[in-house]
Amino acid sequence: MTAPVIELHGLTRTYPGQPPVHALRATDLVVEAGDYVAVTGPSGSGKSTLLHLLGLLDSATTGRYLLDGLDTSALTDRDRSALRGSRIGIVFQAFHLLAYRTALENVLIAELYNQTSRSTRLQAAASALSSVGLGHRLDALPTTLSGGECQRVAIARALVNRPSLLLCDEPTGNLDSRNAATLMELLDQLNSDGLTIVIITHDAGVAAHTSRTVTISDGRLSERTGTGHA
């Protein structure tokens, strides 16, 4: 049997202080391959903390996080970075593109640590951009792209290493309604193709696309089964 993509056992994150901040309280969560999950909740509820833990951008205080069956708890920072680079794609609300690098060059950045030839990396980056509908904009600078196109470049960058998990942090937050709808169609298609996706969002319309909704409040998770995209 294939291991879940995400398996959390009693995961917590506490930030020291007087008093300490319990950003994530003991959390159990299983996300199977091909799942499409929305994480919702008010500002300050712990959504960003959960995203950073799932993306191996931060370490848990207690508990275990298994990614594709691999226990990440005891990994070194270097090993965590390598695992994140090979198995996790992250898309942020703010795009985080280099303004004076082309779309192709921005995607290539994600392949810096790949032990493959430059020609192979170029081909993979071009293919990733084509897969999000930007095969004709390889040489375009972010300053000449629309917000929707910039977010597609960010998604291509997240997909170029063929991750098993795509994490999206408010992916429609900087987009108008038309571009947001187009982006969600793309995410729906990626999930239909088998990619496991977790979306952090405060937008009920975005959450309606997913098949599962996890709500977080004061660092505690609860879950309901969605009736949206499946």
Side-chain angles (χ1 to χ4, degrees):
M1 180 181 292
T2 303
V5 175
I6 293 171
E7 197 172 350
L8 308 183
H9 298 282
L11 205 72
T12 72
R13 184 64 173 102
T14 301
Y15 296 100
Q18 294 297 330
V21 177
H22 301 290
L24 187 70
R25 300 176 187 273
T27 295
D28 298 323
L29 179 68
V30 174
V31 176
E32 301 286 354
D35 273 357
Y36 197 8
V37 182
V39 179
T40 65
S43 296
S45 60
K47 297 193 304 296
S48 293
T49 296
L50 179 61
L51 176 87
H52 281 75
L53 292 173
L54 294 179
L56 299 177
L57 298 168
D58 194 7
S59 299
T61 303
T62 60
R64 299 170 67 213
Y65 170 22
L66 279 68
L67 176 65
D68 291 332
L70 176 64
D71 193 340
T72 67
S73 308
L75 295 180
T76 66
D77 287 343
R78 181 171 182 171
D79 288 340
R80 290 165 63 85
S81 295
L83 186 61
R84 181 172 61 247
S86 64
R87 300 200 189 186
I88 302 174
I90 306 178
V91 178
F92 295 99
Q93 176 180 344
F95 313 145
H96 295 309
L97 302 180
L98 298 178
Y100 299 105
R101 299 291 184 185
T102 66
L104 185 66
E105 289 169 333
N106 269 282
V107 175
L108 274 170
I109 289 170
E111 299 183 275
L112 275 177
Y113 299 105
N114 280 6
Q115 301 299 313
T116 56
S117 67
R118 178 171 173 79
S119 62
T120 299
R121 297 197 303 272
L122 282 168
Q123 183 177 6
S127 177
L129 284 164
S130 293
S131 74
V132 299
L134 289 177
H136 62 300
R137 304 301 308 272
L138 302 184
D139 296 325
L141 295 174
T143 52
T144 69
L145 298 173
S146 69
E149 287 173 327
C150 284
Q151 192 61 292
R152 283 171 174 260
V153 174
I155 290 175
R157 182 181 58 196
L159 295 177
V160 70
N161 290 323
R162 300 183 180 275
S164 54
L165 171 65
L166 180 65
L167 300 174
C168 300
D169 185 13
E170 302 285 4
T172 63
N174 284 340
L175 303 180
D176 60 33
S177 58
R178 181 177 64 84
N179 278 312
T182 301
L183 178 68
M184 291 311 302
E185 289 176 6
L186 172 61
L187 293 177
D188 290 349
Q189 184 58 55
L190 289 170
N191 177 251
S192 293
D193 291 341
L195 182 62
T196 307
I197 302 176
V198 175
I199 302 178
I200 305 294
T201 184
H202 67 275
D203 188 332
V206 170
H209 281 255
T210 67
S211 53
R212 293 175 61 190
T213 298
V214 175
T215 301
I216 186 167
S217 179
D218 296 325
R220 299 185 188 278
L221 260 65
S222 59
E223 181 171 358
R224 65 178 176 81
T225 301
T227 57
H229 175 85

